[in-house]
Amino acid sequence: HHANSALYPFIAQLERAAGFQRNDTPAQRLEKLETLVAPSRPFCEHVVPLLASLLSLPASDRYPLPPMPPQKRKQMTLEALLAQLERLAGRLPVLMSFEDAHWADPTSLELLGMTIERLARLPVLLVVTARPEFSTPWPAHAHLTTLPLTRLSRRKNLALIERRLGVVVDSRGN
């Protein structure tokens, strides 16, 4: 549904991490974003305006977004998102999951590629899932492993269900 929404997976994660609620006002969302980014002061003053713009929050007097060309804003926003990941990974190991990469928009794939380039020096495990026909747009790296998976057989599906639910399932799936 969001294949044409630039950075949708990253925006959704940022909203979850900040604790946005459906009925939050823009001012409340800005405050939550500031709280999320606050551990990285003085970096915060440069990041909040970019991330607020990404999250479609109205401009703030506290965090004005300086005028810049769209390409420069995009690059600075991607760098801000990467810096947030690096700061988080500096505090504790990170597990990052990116599902259905075959449906991702080009900007999300660009950011994912930039993330992959930096992973060699970060305590981050990134798991990316995609359909077999997906062709990765990023180059191969020594710290990158591709693991093709095939469908489970009916017998293995039933065994998985039995283990998970703790019940015996007959061969017809009942």
Side-chain angles (χ1 to χ4, degrees):
H1 296 294
H2 301 285
N4 295 317
S5 300
L7 295 171
Y8 176 79
F10 296 96
I11 291 169
Q13 176 55 33
L14 194 55
E15 290 174 340
R16 278 190 298 277
F20 286 6
Q21 298 296 315
R22 187 175 295 248
N23 58 348
D24 285 347
T25 65
Q28 290 171 317
R29 287 179 179 227
L30 184 62
E31 189 174 305
K32 289 179 177 184
L33 177 62
E34 183 180 36
T35 300
L36 177 68
V37 178
S40 48
R41 288 196 195 276
F43 182 71
C44 184
E45 294 149 8
H46 304 290
V47 171
V48 170
L50 292 165
L51 298 183
S53 175
L54 179 66
L55 296 169
S56 301
L57 297 175
S60 162
D61 292 337
R62 283 190 325 208
Y63 299 105
L65 183 62
M68 64 184 80
Q71 188 59 33
K72 175 79 171 165
R73 182 187 328 204
K74 174 187 167 188
Q75 194 57 39
M76 289 180 68
T77 301
L78 297 182
E79 287 296 331
L81 289 167
L82 285 168
Q84 283 297 106
L85 174 61
E86 289 174 344
R87 281 175 174 67
L88 180 60
R91 292 193 316 250
L92 61 144
V94 174
L95 171 61
M96 185 175 171
S97 171
F98 194 101
E99 295 188 23
D100 299 324
H102 52 277
W103 285 324
D105 64 278
T107 307
S108 291
L109 291 176
E110 179 182 351
L111 180 55
L112 196 55
M114 292 169 69
T115 303
I116 289 168
E117 288 178 21
R118 296 190 188 187
L119 288 183
R121 65 181 202 279
L122 296 173
V124 175
L125 173 62
L126 170 62
V127 178
V128 178
T129 66
R131 291 188 176 168
E133 63 272 11
F134 177 71
S135 178
T136 59
W138 46 83
H141 294 279
H143 62 277
L144 182 64
T145 302
T146 301
L147 180 62
L149 301 175
T150 58
R151 291 180 181 258
L152 293 176
S153 68
R154 181 165 179 77
R155 185 177 55 78
K156 288 182 180 178
N157 269 318
L158 292 174
L160 181 66
I161 292 168
E162 287 175 355
R163 268 191 249 140
R164 180 71 179 133
L165 298 179
V167 297
V168 175
V169 180
D170 66 31
S171 61
R172 295 170 297 182
N174 297 321

